[in-house]
Amino acid sequence: MGRLTGKTAVVTGASSGMGKEIVTLYVKEGANVVAVARRKERLEELAESLKGEEGKVAVFPGDISSKDVNEAMIDFAVEQFGQLDILVNNAGVMDDMAAVGDFSDDKLMNVFNVNVYGPFYATRKAVNTFKAQGTPGSIVSIASEGAYKTCAGVVYCASKSAVVALSRNTAYMYKAEGIRSNCIIAGGFKTEIANSMGMPNMEAYGKLQPVLATSPEPGEPIEIARAALFLASDEATYISGAELAVDGGWCAS
Ligand SMILES: NC(=O)c1ccc[n+]([C@@H]2O[C@H](COP(=O)([O-])OP(=O)(O)OC[C@H]3O[C@@H](n4cnc5c(N)ncnc54)[C@H](OP(=O)(O)O)[C@@H]3O)[C@@H](O)[C@H]2O)c1
């Protein structure tokens, strides 16, 4: 029996990096998982690779900057697997490292749509689903050292500060319902996220170098998956409102 046997999870950003590892680990630990991202083929490959594991994967292709997609993915989880127990707000994109004098309107809109509005819509739907079911639920959101350190542009850093606030406020407001909400403060990881950056603002990128130089070697995304497993599992029933740094010790510098 796995650590998530009998649970249903929705994981956003499941087509690569941390999300793919989270889905893989959750399914191996017995969860049924709805895997969400835009690239359908990637999700289908992932589902195929996990056939025969204890849990099942149902793919849900969609753009999580849409409110409708966030609501539909949770309805889909309930239809497919009977209920919702876990939401992982993982999907995210980078900005171009720009300072406030230089951010573009497009970056502001895109980064906030994916990193902030998506998790807000998904968390609202998840909380109301848990309440309607009368079950406790667990929400894990992937934030970043950028919420605290100037290690990216102002748009990305502000988006991750918003994720931390969303996570903590949710933990406080729904304590009586047994709903837990935690976030992971991720350091640098070997994933595809740099592809979402576009052409970096070189002046700002240069200014960030002293901060980036203090980061340890980038980690493997499985490290995030292990933390997301713990926080979602019944081993963490007394943990809510926490910010768990998974960053090779960067937070201590
Ligand atoms: N890697 C790092 O160093 C690092 C550090 C701190 C925090 N983080 C955070 O970790 C999380 C995961 O990122 P990662 O590093 O694993 O990057 P990644 O490999 O680029 O994965 C990002 C995932 O988000 C999905 N995504 C992006 N835009 C989307 C949209 N509009 N709708 C649906 N899905 C979307 C992508 O799928 P599709 O393209 O198929 O839609 C992909 O599955 C993000 O929240 C990121 O901010 C990463």
Side-chain angles (χ1 to χ4, degrees), residues 22-203:
I22 293 168
V23 173
T24 302
L25 193 54
Y26 277 22
V27 168
K28 288 185 174 177
E29 290 290 345
N32 293 325
V33 179
V34 172
V36 185
R38 289 166 302 178
R39 286 170 293 179
K40 188 178 176 200
E41 341 62 69
R42 290 254 196 137
L43 298 177
E44 284 170 348
E45 275 168 33
L46 178 61
E48 187 63 32
S49 74
L50 292 171
K51 276 194 175 147
E53 298 294 346
E54 188 187 336
K56 295 188 180 67
V57 181
V59 306
F60 192 87
D63 183 334
I64 59 107
S65 35
S66 147
K67 180 174 80 169
D68 291 349
V69 167
N70 280 281
E71 296 187 346
M73 72 188 182
I74 288 175
D75 286 336
F76 179 72
V78 175
E79 278 161 34
Q80 290 288 308
F81 300 123
Q83 66 175 47
L84 178 78
D85 303 290
I86 300 162
L87 167 68
V88 182
N89 289 313
N90 165 75
V93 289
M94 277 294 294
D95 66 3
D96 58 2
M97 305 286 185
V100 73
D102 297 308
F103 74 84
S104 72
D105 295 355
D106 281 354
K107 269 288 176 209
L108 180 66
M109 194 178 302
N110 178 242
V111 173
F112 268 68
N113 272 338
V114 178
N115 294 10
V116 182
Y117 291 176
F120 264 78
Y121 292 134
T123 300
R124 179 172 67 186
K125 179 73 178 177
V127 157
N128 288 322
T129 303
F130 297 145
K131 282 174 67 180
Q133 290 172 174
T135 58
S138 175
I139 301 166
V140 179
S141 300
I142 310 298
S144 163
E145 282 295 344
Y148 297 107
K149 291 183 195 293
T150 302
C151 58
V154 66
V155 170
Y156 183 81
C157 290
S159 76
K160 291 302 183 179
S161 295
V163 170
V164 172
L166 167 66
S167 179
R168 289 174 59 92
N169 192 286
T170 302
Y172 177 77
M173 291 293 192
Y174 296 95
K175 190 176 180 306
E177 287 84 354
I179 297 170
R180 297 186 300 108
S181 171
N182 292 291
C183 65
I184 292 175
I185 309 294
F189 282 85
K190 295 173 202 160
T191 69
E192 297 175 15
I193 199 155
N195 296 345
S196 65
M197 193 187 299
M199 180 63 81
N201 179 305
M202 292 314 289
E203 186 190 348

